[in-house]
Amino acid sequence: MLRIKRVPTVVSNYQKEEGGEATRPVGGCGRNCLKSCCIQEAKLPLYAFKRLEKAKGKDLALQECGEPPVAFLDSLILGEWEERMQRGLFRYDVTACETKVIPGEYGFIAQLNEGRHLKKRPTEFRVDKVLQPFDQNKFNFTKVGQEELLFQFESSDDGEVQFFPNAPIDVDNSPSLVAINVSPIEYGHVLLIPRIFECLPQRIDHESFLLALHMAAEAGNPYFRLGYNSLGAFATINHLHFQAYYLAAPFPIEKAPTKTIAKSNAGVKISELLKYPVRGLVFEGGDTLEDLANIVSDACICLQNNNIPYNVLIADCGKQVFLLPQCYAEKQALGEVDAELLDTQVNPAVWEISGHMVLKRKKDYEEASEANAWRLLAEVSLSEARFEEVNALIFEAIASFELEVKAETTEEEVNAAKSKARPAKAMVAGTQECLVLQ
């Protein structure tokens, strides 16, 4: 069993500190939580999104994501988030954190966030098991205060976008909720918690990932991205959640070149990152949002079932997804990471891997360079040989979508791929056997 001493991220004011849990002078248990003692007759705004269908052969959610006018969901997130900031619910003012673009080809972004690691208790964190059972005795999102919740996010019953400013919280049907992250990395930093009362552990499934894509599409803002960290890849709370925030600049990973290696019959293109310190896959397109969600979630489920830690970045209004298996925490537990890197206290999760380096020491911020960022992220990446093995597992898992070699692939690359390919039985009845590229 591999464990490392680490400092957990505090995402709620109700997480346990050394002196116990915070209390508030309200009814129920005194904490205004989401449990039965406090939730009776509670209400919260409800944003009901439209489940998009094909329109003339193209999913409406997959239209171009440019510089849109302010969308309603966009303004709802920011309006509710700023209201919580005015109420003093955040642990520090993230807008006061110094930020700069590091000179270099990729434009890594450095932020000095000294408040993010203060007043937290060190805990033992297991890093060698991606799937771990939900433990109601540990902090989970049913323990947050209702004042930290922003709104409910659900699909519409009648197929149209709807907004209800004061809707009951239907505990029996376990709504998906959006809450603030009280230790924000950037402006508008929120948490999307799918089916909160089902108390799901931190693992992606098809329904939850489609929900995250819908949120990206509904926001309609290219500066709004969602991220996911698995256990073993610096998730600190074992209750299913995605993170999201606004950053008015391209992430370096979004600018990295890619090479297309396969395409599904549903139009989902799969590419490999090139010339980037962390090896990963990029998923784009699809005839519908659900097509993209199905293939990416199948890949995530494959990694989970094979105990491979990973991070996910959802970009471009839900049309582009980066899947990044990683091994930094494992190396750290085994004592294989240089002490100089460990001294930075940077835990490279989805945001750091994407190129937004959240630094905790002024020294590291002042000395930030592209070489230093590259050096840290190179430790995150799987080796080339291990990455090929992981890709083989992923492509076998999504073989039911009949992936095909991209037409522009050279004859030599096709022959090499065929020599390494293996037949894989389709995972759904009625789908023919297909060739899976490693």
Side-chain angles (χ1 to χ4, degrees):
M1 181 184 299
L2 296 179
R3 293 180 184 270
I4 53 176
K5 280 282 187 181
R6 65 187 306 270
V7 178
T9 299
V10 174
V11 299
S12 167
N13 289 321
Y14 290 87
Q15 278 179 256
K16 290 182 178 180
E17 303 283 346
E18 290 181 352
E21 296 184 350
T23 59
R24 301 264 175 144
V26 293
C29 69
R31 296 180 56 250
N32 199 27
C33 69
L34 300 185
K35 294 186 178 294
S36 59
C37 55
C38 301
I39 197 67
Q40 303 302 321
E41 300 182 359
K43 294 184 178 181
L44 195 67
L46 167 61
Y47 183 96
F49 62 85
K50 179 180 179 180
R51 278 192 175 273
L52 298 167
E53 303 293 340
K54 283 187 179 181
K56 297 182 180 180
K58 189 176 180 69
D59 188 339
L60 295 178
L62 300 180
Q63 301 292 339
E64 285 300 314
C65 177
E67 294 283 352
V70 176
F72 181 72
L73 179 61
D74 210 32
S75 59
L76 175 65
I77 292 172
L78 294 176
E80 293 290 328
W81 192 88
E82 288 182 348
E83 194 273 341
R84 301 313 190 275
M85 183 168 64
Q86 291 170 4
R87 289 166 61 180
L89 296 184
F90 295 100
R91 301 175 70 247
Y92 51 82
D93 180 7
V94 71
T95 63
C97 293
E98 294 182 64
T99 299
K100 65 182 178 182
V101 176
I102 301 173
E105 178 181 358
Y106 282 87
F108 286 97
I109 301 157
Q111 180 194 96
L112 177 60
N113 195 325
E114 296 174 293
R116 193 167 169 79
H117 74 295
L118 300 177
K119 298 181 181 178
K120 302 174 187 177
R121 57 187 179 91
T123 61
E124 290 286 341
F125 185 73
R126 187 167 180 177
V127 300
D128 62 345
K129 196 172 182 182
V130 173
L131 296 179
Q132 300 179 35
F134 181 87
D135 185 347
Q136 63 180 354
N137 294 318
K138 294 183 179 179
F139 175 80
N140 62 78
F141 294 112
T142 67
K143 298 182 179 182
V144 304
Q146 292 179 33
E147 67 273 16
E148 295 179 7
L149 303 178
L150 303 184
F151 56 91
Q152 305 174 68
F153 186 68
E154 297 288 330
S155 61
S156 173
D157 291 332
D158 65 0
E160 296 298 328
V161 175
Q162 294 180 308
F163 177 70
F164 305 92
N166 202 29
I169 298 177
D170 188 352
V171 177
D172 292 337
N173 288 321
S174 192
S176 299
L177 303 181
V178 177
I180 60 171
N181 185 332
V182 303
S183 300
I185 289 176
E186 259 298 342
Y187 188 75
H189 194 164
V190 297
L191 306 168
L192 171 64
I193 311 162
R195 313 193 309 274
I196 186 170
F197 296 113
E198 292 183 28
C199 294
L200 302 169
Q202 184 72 341
R203 59 170 176 78
I204 280 178
D205 57 34
H206 292 87
E207 183 179 349
S208 65
F209 196 77
L210 180 58
L211 182 76
L213 288 186
H214 270 293
M215 188 174 189
E218 288 289 317
N221 189 322
Y223 297 141
F224 183 74
R225 290 89 160 185
L226 286 92
Y228 176 88
N229 302 315
S230 79
L231 296 179
F234 297 104
T236 59
I237 296 171
N238 189 22
H239 190 175
L240 180 58
H241 65 286
F242 296 81
Q243 300 185 51
Y245 63 68
Y246 293 83
L247 182 68
F251 276 102
I253 199 171
E254 295 172 334
K255 299 189 293 184
T258 61
K259 175 183 177 182
T260 303
I261 54 179
K263 188 173 184 179
S264 77
N265 285 345
V268 177
K269 182 178 70 172
I270 305 176
S271 305
E272 183 177 340
L273 277 174
L274 301 177
K275 298 180 181 179
Y276 197 74
V278 182
R279 295 180 175 88
L281 296 176
V282 187
F283 299 78
E284 300 172 278
D287 294 335
T288 68
L289 204 65
E290 192 165 358
D291 292 328
L292 180 60
N294 283 340
I295 283 192
V296 177
S297 56
D298 274 349
C300 294
I301 291 168
C302 169
L303 295 179
Q304 291 165 175
N305 291 342
N306 285 278
N307 202 33
I308 301 168
Y310 66 94
N311 308 91
V312 177
L313 177 72
I314 299 173
D316 197 17
C317 303
K319 299 194 302 295
Q320 186 179 54
V321 182
F322 297 83
L323 179 59
L324 305 145
Q326 71 143 294
C327 59
Y328 188 88
E330 179 184 2
K331 286 182 177 179
Q332 185 178 357
L334 294 172
E336 297 176 356
V337 178
D338 190 278
E340 187 176 346
L341 292 177
L342 295 178
D343 287 344
T344 67
Q345 304 176 60
V346 174
N347 298 320
V350 60
W351 308 121
E352 288 79 11
I353 291 174
S354 301
H356 190 192
M357 315 303 293
V358 183
L359 305 174
K360 302 178 175 73
R361 303 188 305 180
K362 192 169 185 65
K363 170 180 179 292
D364 298 322
Y365 180 79
E366 292 173 345
E367 297 175 357
S369 66
E370 186 166 275
N372 287 343
W374 198 281
R375 179 187 173 200
L376 171 66
L377 296 185
E379 292 291 335
V380 174
S381 182
L382 302 184
S383 67
E384 184 176 358
R386 178 57 177 156
F387 184 64
E388 289 185 3
E389 293 173 359
V390 169
N391 278 357
L393 293 172
I394 290 174
F395 280 109
E396 185 171 6
I398 60 180
S400 59
F401 289 89
E402 281 194 272
L403 298 177
E404 298 176 348
V405 180
K406 192 65 176 167
E408 61 263 26
T409 305
T410 66
E411 182 177 355
E412 292 78 8
E413 290 171 333
V414 170
N415 292 334
K418 286 182 177 179
S419 68
K420 295 195 295 180
R422 56 184 174 185
K425 292 292 183 181
M427 301 182 71
V428 293
T431 306
Q432 294 182 345
E433 184 175 350
C434 65
L435 198 64
V436 180
L437 298 182
Q438 295 186 4

